[in-house]
């Protein structure tokens, strides 16, 4: 009996010692200024009935220094990403390019020859993968009526029926269905849905449990929305992008693709607005994070930062100048107010200059 008990204990010990080490991000001790800044940020949200903050996590130099959950937020609860999903779809495109399955110059129509309508707009024939990535399809409105807001079984076919009044590559219009087409392209060339394709390439290397990713009626991950991740999962992606595609010393995302994803490609404006609306809107480089330029399914920000951005305030903010990442989940009605609070409260605590300080320096 004693021998059997000893053997059982030994097996349990060996199994425990063989378990993979935790892949969670390392924690560090926050300075008093960072702790106070996060508390102030949370307090600002609590005062605003239009700002329902769910979580905030602050990393610097690769370590989590502060994290708080409130309202619907929880450390172990995946949160809806809305358009933060786009950044992950773009990452899948980058993997497929690195594997020689497509290029940014490929024409969209080349992937779906059997889905093209007879009356397709001539400009549609010129749309490239790069135009999809940069939201420069040439449409002046998102084609939801032809696709997901209708009972059409094929969103791919519906996309091709939409008008394209502007030359592709010359006109920015935020377009979630363009990202859906990227997801469809990845599935076409790899034979896998984006979520499955990312599993060995991104989810597993980052220690992210395979997430939920919503699908269209034709069985394609929505691409531009529909992904669910935990706050720490978002932070892992932000840190990986900050480190040029490396996670814990391993090159996970090709470095050249990270550079392409995160650097300025085209001028832009907020979702729902057209380029011609910007002059009268009062949006400037000094007061708006939505006119700093668009990359590949990511936005440039003030302070040389960039972000994955989802409706109602889902953010992965990457700040190279202070070697930091700030992640936020929430339901907010004033997204610029949230970003202003990040720049005015959290960013200075990380060693950066607030917008006011930056303007004072320029005037001096």
């Amino acid at each position: 009996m004693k021998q059997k008990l000893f053997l059982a204990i030994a097996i349990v010990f060996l199994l425990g010692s063989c378990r993979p080490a935790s892949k969670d991000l390392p924690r560090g001790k926050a300075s008093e200024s960072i702790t106070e800044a996060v508390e102030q940020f949370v307090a600002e949200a609590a005062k605003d009935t239009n700002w329902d903050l769910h979580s905030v996590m602050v990393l610097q130099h690769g370590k989590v220094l502060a994290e708080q959950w409130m309202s619907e937020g929880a450390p172990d609860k995946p949160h809806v990403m809305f358009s933060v999903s786009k950044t992950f779809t773009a990452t899948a495109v980058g993997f497929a390019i690195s594997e020689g399955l497509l290029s940014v110059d490929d024409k969209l129509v080349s992937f779906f020859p059997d889905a093209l309508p007879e009356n397709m707009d001539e400009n549609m024939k010129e749309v490239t993968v790069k135009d999809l990535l940069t939201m420069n399809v040439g449409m002046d409105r998102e084609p939801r009526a032809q696709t997901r807001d209708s009972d059409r079984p094929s969103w791919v076919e519906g996309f091709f029926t939409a008008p394209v009044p502007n030359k592709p590559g010359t006109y920015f219009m935020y377009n979630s269905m363009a990202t859906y087409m990227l997801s469809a392209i990845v599935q076409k060339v790899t034979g896998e849905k984006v979520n499955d394709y990312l599993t060995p390439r991104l989810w597993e290397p980052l220690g992210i449990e395979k997430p939920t990713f919503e699908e269209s009626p034709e069985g394609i991950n929505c691409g531009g929305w529909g992904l669910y991740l935990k706050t720490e999962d978002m932070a892992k992606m932000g840190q990986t992008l900050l480190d040029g595609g490396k996670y814990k010393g391993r090159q996970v995302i090709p470095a050249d693709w990270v550079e392409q994803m995160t650097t300025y490609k085209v001028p832009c404006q907020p979702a729902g607005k057209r380029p011609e609306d910007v002059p009268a809107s009062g949006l400037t480089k000094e007061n708006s994070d939505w006119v700093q330029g668009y990359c590949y399914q990511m936005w440039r920000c003030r302070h040389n930062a960039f972000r994955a951005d989802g409706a109602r305030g889902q953010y992965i903010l990457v700040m190279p100048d202070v070697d930091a990442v700030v992640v936020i989940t929430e339901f907010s009605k004033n997204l610029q107010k949230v970003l202003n609070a990040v720049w005015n409260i959290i960013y200075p605590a990380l060693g950066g200059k607030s917008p006011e300080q930056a303007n004072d320096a320029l005037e001096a």
Side-chain angles (χ1 to χ4, degrees):
M1 180 66 71
K2 288 184 178 180
Q3 287 181 330
K4 289 182 179 179
L5 179 61
F6 176 81
L7 180 60
I9 293 173
I11 291 172
V12 170
F13 174 80
L14 287 172
L15 288 174
S17 65
C18 292
R19 289 172 184 165
S22 173
K23 294 184 178 181
D24 290 342
L25 291 164
R27 266 54 181 175
K29 182 174 176 56
S31 66
E32 185 176 342
S33 61
I34 291 175
T35 300
E36 291 177 351
V38 173
E39 290 176 352
Q40 183 184 349
F41 181 81
V42 172
E44 288 294 316
K47 292 188 299 185
D48 190 337
T49 56
N50 291 318
W51 184 357
D52 183 14
L53 185 63
H54 295 172
S55 72
V56 57
M57 181 176 285
V58 178
L59 298 81
Q60 191 169 40
H61 310 316
K63 294 182 179 180
V64 178
L65 301 182
E67 52 192 308
Q68 289 200 34
W69 283 265
M70 60 288 297
S71 186
E72 297 179 18
D76 58 350
K77 181 181 178 181
H79 196 282
V80 60
M81 292 291 95
F82 295 110
S83 287
V84 169
S85 309
K86 292 178 170 65
T87 295
F88 292 90
T89 299
T91 302
V93 172
F95 282 126
I97 289 174
S98 71
E99 293 167 12
L101 301 177
L102 73 152
S103 81
V104 295
D105 297 321
D106 288 340
K107 299 287 180 63
L108 170 61
V109 294
S110 69
F111 297 101
F112 307 101
D114 297 331
L116 308 180
E118 292 183 2
N119 60 342
M120 184 174 63
D121 197 303
E122 286 298 312
N123 279 335
M124 181 68 80
K125 298 176 183 178
E126 302 304 316
V127 175
T128 65
V129 171
K130 183 176 182 179
D131 296 331
L132 297 170
L133 286 164
T134 58
M135 302 291 189
N136 265 235
V137 175
M139 298 175 180
D140 60 3
R141 63 187 62 197
E142 186 180 11
R144 292 179 59 159
Q146 289 89 353
T147 53
R148 57 178 167 143
D149 287 347
S150 72
D151 57 1
R152 183 186 293 272
S154 172
W155 292 0
V156 169
E157 291 181 5
F159 189 87
F160 284 119
T161 68
V164 186
N166 304 285
K167 181 181 178 181
T170 68
Y171 192 92
F172 179 91
M173 171 56 59
Y174 195 74
N175 189 337
S176 291
M177 292 311 302
T179 317
Y180 176 76
M181 297 304 290
L182 290 171
S183 178
I185 289 171
V186 170
Q187 186 163 327
K188 185 80 170 183
V189 300
T190 68
E192 295 182 277
K193 297 173 184 179
V194 163
N195 202 14
D196 297 327
Y197 182 63
L198 287 177
T199 297
R201 295 166 177 81
L202 188 71
W203 305 141
E204 290 177 354
L206 267 57
I208 296 174
E209 183 179 352
K210 185 179 177 180
T212 299
F213 209 147
E214 294 173 7
E215 299 179 3
S216 69
E218 56 194 318
I220 297 171
N221 288 142
C222 293
W225 69 98
L227 183 65
Y228 290 76
L229 291 172
K230 300 172 187 175
T231 299
E232 185 145 343
D233 297 338
M234 299 167 70
K236 290 176 180 179
M237 183 62 168
Q239 187 64 47
T240 301
L241 294 174
L242 178 62
D243 290 340
K246 290 185 177 181
Y247 184 70
K248 295 189 175 181
R250 173 186 173 186
Q251 192 72 48
V252 176
I253 307 171
D256 59 344
W257 187 249
V258 172
E259 182 178 3
Q260 292 298 312
M261 281 180 61
T262 61
T263 52
Y264 178 99
K265 294 295 181 295
V266 296
C268 62
Q269 70 282 339
K273 290 187 179 293
R274 303 181 183 190
E276 55 267 30
D277 299 332
V278 174
S281 68
L283 302 179
T284 68
K285 293 279 188 179
E286 290 70 36
N287 67 22
S288 174
D289 286 282
W290 273 269
V291 294
Q292 304 297 322
Y294 199 71
C295 317
Y296 282 172
Q297 304 290 290
M298 299 193 77
W299 300 78
R300 294 295 303 178
C301 309
R302 290 176 287 175
H303 304 286
N304 191 39
F306 57 89
R307 73 186 187 277
D309 182 313
R312 301 177 184 175
Q314 322 316 312
Y315 292 124
I316 303 174
L317 286 154
V318 183
M319 308 169 180
D321 289 358
V322 292
D323 193 26
V325 175
V326 175
V327 172
I328 297 168
T329 62
E330 61 191 345
F331 282 162
S332 173
K333 294 182 179 179
N334 188 336
L335 303 187
Q336 187 60 66
K337 181 176 182 179
V338 175
L339 292 178
N340 289 345
V342 171
W343 301 131
N344 287 318
I345 300 172
I346 296 178
Y347 189 66
L350 294 168
K353 293 181 179 179
S354 70
E356 291 78 7
Q357 292 172 323
N359 289 336
D360 291 344
L362 287 173
E363 292 174 2

